[in-house]
Amino acid sequence: MIGAGLIGRAWAMVFARAGWHVRLHDSDAAQLAAARRLIAASLADQKRMAEAKGLKSDPPPILVSKLDRLSRDVAFVAGLMAQRVPFIVAELGRDADPFMLHLYAALAEKERCLIAERTKAALASKRASGAKLGNSINLPLAGALGRASQIAAADEFVSGLLPVVLAIRQTGAETLEAMSRALNQRGIRTARGGAWRASSVANLYARAKRTTALPESLL
């Protein structure tokens, strides 16, 4: 998993509690250490509770303060709901109605578009006034940072979508073509907003193998 923040830690917890070996990465050593301590403590609590009850406990839900902290993509949120991936939005409550979740997801997606439009308009206005954007002095560094940011965003997209893809495989979609059809039927888009093809599913699996610690049998 890339990122030991709230969402990354929650996904790592879900996989770990399901019995998978998870490797967590973060450039912030302190945040990474804190996340590992919390995950270890949670797994220990789960084991003690299961032993006390003599039962196998279910994976915990992902807890976020607002729905847009989980995603600003309607299709992604709908995919999580369709695959029964547990998550709780604090401001809506544990028993939030699916209609309300879809409505808030649509609002979050609209806000994402508005943010992009406002940013583009502000940059266009600055250019029109003659302002020079960027810093030509540190172009190599800026380029390296930009590429690193793109890689991190792609890794985050894969880690977020992987549970849905694995759930689709459990329904019997074993081939790349079958999985791409299932993703398109669920309205889930690629990272660039396009339709899924067998090659794009293959690319997703290739990146997942590099960035996650899931057993080969699951990939």
Side-chain angles (χ1 to χ4, degrees):
M1 288 292 174
I2 305 297
L6 176 63
I7 296 177
R9 186 174 72 237
W11 276 115
M13 192 90 71
V14 169
F15 283 119
R17 285 200 166 195
W20 293 340
H21 176 70
V22 180
R23 184 174 299 163
L24 196 60
H25 300 274
D26 198 292
S27 58
D28 188 328
Q31 181 168 263
L32 180 60
R36 286 173 173 170
R37 287 195 300 270
L38 289 171
I39 293 173
S42 178
L43 292 176
D45 289 342
Q46 179 194 27
K47 183 177 180 180
R48 285 194 295 270
M49 291 176 64
E51 291 174 349
K53 295 179 179 180
L55 299 172
K56 182 179 179 180
S57 58
D58 294 327
I62 299 171
L63 179 62
V64 293
S65 59
K66 299 171 62 178
L67 189 60
D68 59 16
R69 298 300 87 196
L70 178 64
S71 176
R72 289 185 181 271
D73 189 307
V74 174
F76 181 77
V77 174
L80 293 180
M81 295 169 64
Q83 299 303 321
R84 300 187 182 279
V85 176
F87 64 89
I88 297 174
V89 181
E91 72 171 359
L92 300 179
R94 176 182 290 272
D95 300 317
D97 184 80
F99 172 77
M100 290 298 297
L101 290 172
H102 278 96
L103 179 60
Y104 273 76
L107 291 172
E109 186 173 277
K110 179 61 176 179
E111 178 61 20
R112 181 184 67 183
C113 295
L114 292 175
I115 290 172
E117 291 173 1
R118 289 195 295 266
T119 302
K120 291 177 181 177
L123 291 174
S125 176
K126 293 290 287 184
R127 291 192 187 97
S129 65
K132 291 185 177 181
L133 303 178
N135 185 347
S136 59
I137 298 176
N138 65 345
L139 284 179
L141 175 60
L145 292 175
R147 288 188 293 273
S149 178
Q150 290 177 337
I151 292 172
D155 290 342
E156 184 177 357
F157 176 80
V158 169
S159 65
L161 187 60
L162 190 58
V164 178
V165 176
L166 295 177
I168 288 175
R169 280 189 57 181
Q170 295 300 315
T171 65
E174 293 291 339
T175 66
L176 297 176
E177 290 80 3
M179 283 185 278
S180 65
R181 284 196 301 270
L183 287 166
N184 290 327
Q185 289 169 358
R186 286 165 171 77
I188 299 174
R189 314 301 288 178
T190 65
R192 296 184 178 180
W196 288 91
R197 302 178 183 276
S199 58
S200 49
V201 177
N203 292 337
L204 182 143
Y205 269 104
R207 182 173 290 274
K209 288 180 180 180
R210 296 195 301 269
T211 60
T212 66
L214 295 181
E216 285 292 328
S217 59
L218 294 175
L219 297 175

